[in-house]
Amino acid sequence: EKEGPTGMLVGSMLALMAFLLAITMGMAADRFDARRGAVLAEANSIGTTYLRTDFLPQPAASQSQELIREYVPLRIIEGEPSDEEIAAIVARSDEILSELWSIAGGPASETPDSEMLALYITTLNETIDANTTRVTAGLYARVPETIALLLFFGSILTLGMVGFSAGLTKRRSPLTAVVLVVVLGAVLALIIDIDRPTGGTLTTGQQPLIDLEGQIGPPSP
């Protein structure tokens, strides 16, 4: 065993783990940035839609504004909601968007050549697309579970091989072992934290939507 390629194998496994960690960290960071960008894009789209409701005739304008005031708080996701709460939020959001589209359909059919109304419908369509983008980025754009499992079991195997190599050479450094375990565990924890849409220490900021809620006001009681 002392003449075997144990040291080379351990070095190769450590290099492979470093490569996998770097790739996975990049994937998680890209998805985190996508979720953060989706929040800003949605806030801008909703804000423009709210302003352009003035292009609608009454009572369609007032009805649309009230629905948007109800819609914005639904899009502010704070804490760590359960799957049932998320499903309810998504379902109600879809209902409000459908109602807004139906309300806009009446004036659009009466004045199909209105450029002002066309601007509102275009922005409303962007808001609907922003909703789909954010739901997809928040619920489905995650690091694949197979990669997470590969990192977990690969880390265990790598640490085991390091310990096995130390036993063969009869040279063990407790400080080095502790540092390796702590650093590897910290990187894995950071990847998992970044990959979580809600909860954890690194969360997607909701400030653009919070500011928008303050601008347009709460829904009527």
Side-chain angles (χ1 to χ4, degrees):
E1 288 290 346
K2 291 183 180 180
E3 298 176 357
T6 305
M8 182 183 301
L9 179 61
V10 171
S12 299
M13 292 184 67
L14 288 172
L16 178 60
M17 282 303 303
F19 175 76
L20 289 176
L21 288 172
I23 294 296
T24 309
M25 177 66 76
M27 294 174 60
D30 288 343
R31 284 155 174 76
F32 180 80
D33 289 338
R35 289 193 294 269
R36 184 169 54 184
V39 172
L40 179 59
E42 185 176 43
N44 291 333
S45 178
I46 296 173
T48 305
T49 302
Y50 182 84
L51 293 175
R52 291 183 178 178
T53 53
D54 292 336
F55 297 161
L56 296 172
Q58 293 294 348
S62 298
Q63 294 173 351
S64 298
Q65 290 173 357
E66 184 60 28
L67 286 173
I68 293 174
R69 292 192 190 100
E70 181 186 353
Y71 181 72
V72 172
L74 293 174
R75 312 307 297 169
I76 301 175
I77 308 299
E78 296 182 315
E80 194 166 2
S82 63
D83 293 341
E84 293 77 13
E85 292 173 335
I86 292 177
I89 290 171
V90 172
R92 181 53 186 160
S93 297
D94 291 339
E95 290 177 1
I96 292 177
L97 292 175
S98 297
E99 292 178 26
L100 288 170
W101 189 261
S102 299
I103 292 173
S109 61
E110 296 174 0
T111 56
D113 298 330
S114 174
E115 295 183 1
M116 306 294 284
L117 193 56
L119 287 174
Y120 170 76
I121 292 177
T122 299
T123 309
L124 178 58
N125 187 65
E126 292 174 356
T127 300
I128 295 173
D129 292 341
N131 168 62
T132 304
T133 300
R134 190 170 175 212
V135 170
T136 302
L139 299 181
Y140 308 115
R142 308 285 297 277
V143 173
E145 185 177 351
T146 52
I147 295 181
L149 291 176
L150 176 62
L151 286 176
F152 179 73
F153 289 110
S155 300
I156 294 177
L157 182 60
T158 300
L159 292 175
M161 287 300 300
V162 170
F164 179 71
S165 177
L168 290 179
T169 59
K170 297 182 180 180
R171 289 180 299 177
R172 183 180 63 178
S173 172
L175 178 61
T176 303
V178 170
V179 170
L180 178 61
V181 172
V182 170
V183 171
L184 189 59
V187 174
L188 287 174
L190 181 60
I191 292 174
I192 295 173
D193 195 9
I194 293 177
D195 194 47
R196 295 172 63 188
T198 58
T201 57
L202 296 175
T203 58
T204 305
Q206 307 291 302
Q207 195 59 43
L209 289 169
I210 295 174
D211 294 340
L212 177 61
E213 183 183 22
Q215 294 172 6
I216 67 176
S220 300

